[in-house]
Amino acid sequence: GAVVSQHPSWVICKSGTSVKIECRSLDFQATTMFWYRQFPKQSLMLMATSNEGSKATYEQGVEKDKFLINHASLTLSTLTVTSAHPEDSSFYICSATRGGDTEAFFGQGTRLTVV
Amino acid sequence: KQEVTQIPAALSVPEGENLVLNCSFTDSAIYNLQWFRQDPGKGLTSLLLIQSSQREQTSGRLNASLDKSSGRSTLYIAASQPGDSATYLCAPGGATNKLIFGTGTLLAVQP
């Protein structure tokens, strides 16, 4: 159990367009989901924390108007990169935790390339 | 602010060796610590989760220890295999379940 699925696994988009990435917990209800970004040869940096039915909490330096997060149900959170630019090209990974369980389960990541 | 350091940054060993990966963190007020494996271009696979009240966890050839007061954790890999080649990440977790990641140790096990 505890499978997190992320879609798409990779996407190429034109500069100025928006891209939506989905993160689903397949076999459990995720009370909290997290979004991370990873640049080449760097570690994962937390972008935001998302709780079902409430606004996401963004880390310092992350533009909330650019990275829109929606957590409409206990099994789905979405990250929309609005007006994407080449510098937004990165590897985006989500994770989810179950209620009362501190272990984090990660999706397989989404490689975003903005051209 | 939690800062996580992993040493060494890279490691290359012949198959069969036992090895130790080190992780240190600055804020000892953690709830748990997880070790992950990341293959190139892939997501993270959870290896071991140690709760703050525990000293170690074992899974197969992997053993992770935690010394919370000194801000250290080690991952011990016994009898390494080429399939163990990957980047290993440690991540202490706080009260809000946020994970702060280290920069990782890139492991290459030579056949």
Side-chain angles (χ1 to χ4, degrees):
Chain A
V3 178
V4 176
S5 177
Q6 205 171 322
H7 178 81
S9 56
W10 62 269
V11 58
I12 301 173
C13 71
K14 291 185 177 181
S15 186
T17 61
S18 295
V19 174
K20 180 184 284 188
I21 302 170
E22 292 186 348
C23 180
R24 293 181 183 271
S25 55
L26 297 186
D27 53 1
F28 67 99
Q29 292 187 326
T31 52
T32 307
M33 287 185 170
F34 302 86
W35 288 95
Y36 295 83
R37 179 169 51 183
Q38 185 179 35
F39 291 107
K41 298 189 185 298
Q42 295 186 23
S43 193
L44 281 75
M45 298 297 295
L46 180 65
M47 298 176 67
T49 303
S50 164
N51 292 295
E52 184 262 340
S54 61
K55 290 185 178 180
T57 302
Y58 291 81
E59 295 299 303
Q60 192 173 9
V62 177
E63 300 174 59
K64 62 180 181 181
D65 293 331
K66 181 170 185 61
F67 299 99
L68 301 180
I69 293 173
N70 184 279
H71 194 159
S73 77
L74 283 172
T75 59
L76 174 64
S77 176
T78 60
L79 168 67
T80 301
V81 183
T82 62
S83 187
H85 292 288
E87 57 266 30
D88 298 324
S89 299
S90 186
F91 193 55
Y92 293 87
I93 311 179
C94 70
S95 73
T97 57
R98 297 178 286 206
D101 188 340
T102 57
E103 186 170 6
F105 302 97
F106 281 77
Q108 62 268 54
T110 297
R111 172 76 57 195
L112 170 63
T113 302
V114 185
V115 297
Chain B
K1 178 185 175 185
Q2 181 74 278
E3 294 182 3
V4 184
T5 303
Q6 289 187 246
I7 295 173
L11 183 62
S12 180
V13 299
E15 181 176 4
E17 276 204 6
N18 302 324
L19 47 99
V20 176
L21 308 182
N22 297 291
C23 171
S24 60
F25 46 95
T26 55
D27 185 353
S28 61
I30 63 171
Y31 275 51
N32 57 56
L33 186 142
Q34 278 186 258
W35 281 92
F36 296 90
R37 167 188 175 137
Q38 185 176 30
D39 292 285
K42 304 291 186 181
L44 275 64
T45 301
S46 180
L47 298 174
L48 289 164
L49 166 69
I50 311 176
Q51 300 293 350
S52 61
S53 59
Q54 297 174 320
R55 298 286 290 182
E56 66 178 314
Q57 278 285 348
T58 298
S59 176
R61 294 182 294 108
L62 305 179
N63 175 275
S65 66
L66 174 64
D67 185 342
K68 181 182 168 184
S69 60
S70 67
R72 294 180 182 177
S73 178
T74 60
L75 178 66
Y76 177 83
I77 303 177
S80 58
Q81 303 171 357
D84 295 331
S85 299
T87 296
Y88 289 80
L89 298 163
C90 74
T96 56
N97 286 344
K98 288 184 186 179
L99 295 179
I100 305 300
F101 282 85
T103 47
T105 293
L106 177 60
L107 173 65
V109 180
Q110 309 299 331

